[in-house]
Amino acid sequence: MNYFVEGLQGSGKSTLVQKLSELNPDCTAIREGDYSQVELAWCAYMDEEKYMEILDKYSDIRSEIEKKTHSEEDKRIICYTQIITDIPGFHKDLEQYEIYNNRASYGDFKAIILKRYKDWSRGLDPDMIFECSLFQNIVEDMILFRCASDDEIIEFYKEVRAALEGNAGHDINSNACKKDYHIFYLKTEDVRGNLEVIRKERSDDNGNELWFPLMMGYFKDCPYSKKEGLGSEEDLIQHFIHRQELELRICEEVFPDKYTVLASKKYTDEDIK
């Protein structure tokens, strides 16, 4: 069995990944920023020519870049957020090679994602536990940067399910998947209160917020917010409420036989089992 752990920011995904790892010691846990056969968040994705340009441009840390690079056919994937350096602009430079936030055309974005799910489903890798590798980054991208409707996102996930079954255009109700998998969705009952908690948790020792200003900037500057005239803290809360409702709808309509909803931070080992 393979597991996808999903939920809003601050819902306890990392904790559940750790818990599942303890209950399933033979599974390999893939966390945010790690190299993953399916997820590309926090990773630069480029061809060989561009990769060589990056190595030349940042020759002082060439060996560190090479250590965090993985090859897939003609592509190179750099887990750049795991590279510690004080070179000005390095992480901002590598960020532009991510596939999210309209950095890739919709056609390329869709093709890359579906191919990675399909290739993984047909591979011989050991069982895995994935942290936010199915919903969070794709749904955020499609809502905030591609201004997709809920129905359009649902249709996209029907193709994701088909890819996870090793096929294109496969009947989503078929049980003929190459790898078995299960989704654990951590449902946040109080989105507003949860946001207050993670704002405090993700602050420095002096109480200066680190995560929230970045999140607000990301939200205010996205095409969806500009189109709809959004940008307040309340707007962000309503976005998270909508996103959670949509992700649960995806579970119900596209993965009805593949998911379990857990109450965020209120579940037991028995609930998982």
Side-chain angles (χ1 to χ4, degrees), residues 50 56 60-62 88 104 109 122 131-132 142 147 152 156 160 189 192 199 207 223 229 262 267:
K50 181 57 65 176
D56 289 340
D60 289 349
I61 56 170
R62 182 186 181 111
F109 174 79
R122 301 173 71 176
E131 180 181 4
C132 56
M142 294 190 74
C147 301
E152 288 171 332
F156 179 87
V160 168
E189 295 296 341
R192 193 183 308 277
R199 287 179 66 170
L262 299 174
Y267 57 86

Side-chain angles (χ1 to χ4, degrees), residues 139-177:
V139 174
E140 289 277 37
D141 176 281
M142 294 190 74
I143 293 175
L144 298 180
F145 288 85
R146 303 184 195 276
C147 301
S149 69
D150 289 4
D151 288 342
E152 288 171 332
I153 295 171
I154 291 287
E155 290 304 310
F156 179 87
Y157 271 95
K158 290 179 181 178
E159 295 189 66
V160 168
R161 167 118 196 204
L164 284 168
E165 313 225 334
N167 297 286
H170 199 284
D171 179 358
I172 66 169
N173 293 315
S174 170
N175 291 318
C177 52

Side-chain angles (χ1 to χ4, degrees), residues 146-254:
R146 303 184 195 276
C147 301
S149 69
D150 289 4
D151 288 342
E152 288 171 332
I153 295 171
I154 291 287
E155 290 304 310
F156 179 87
Y157 271 95
K158 290 179 181 178
E159 295 189 66
V160 168
R161 167 118 196 204
L164 284 168
E165 313 225 334
N167 297 286
H170 199 284
D171 179 358
I172 66 169
N173 293 315
S174 170
N175 291 318
C177 52
K178 301 297 180 180
K179 284 185 178 176
D180 205 358
Y181 61 91
H182 196 81
I183 302 164
F184 279 112
Y185 194 92
L186 290 163
K187 183 180 180 181
T188 301
E189 295 296 341
D190 181 6
V191 174
R192 193 183 308 277
N194 181 69
L195 181 61
E196 289 299 319
V197 171
I198 59 177
R199 287 179 66 170
K200 293 177 181 178
E201 289 178 346
R202 300 178 187 183
S203 299
D204 65 18
D205 293 338
N206 296 318
N208 298 310
E209 293 185 355
L210 303 175
W211 172 79
F212 188 69
L214 295 175
M215 185 68 233
M216 281 303 304
Y218 168 84
F219 179 68
K220 287 179 180 179
D221 292 339
C222 72
Y224 176 75
S225 292
K226 290 181 177 179
K227 175 185 174 184
E228 300 294 333
L230 307 177
S232 69
E233 182 177 327
E234 181 60 30
D235 292 334
L236 178 62
I237 291 169
Q238 292 305 314
H239 162 66
F240 282 144
I241 291 172
H242 167 236
R243 202 191 96 199
Q244 178 169 259
E245 291 173 347
L246 174 57
E247 290 173 353
L248 288 168
R249 181 184 164 193
I250 294 169
C251 287
E252 181 178 353
E253 295 187 18
V254 183

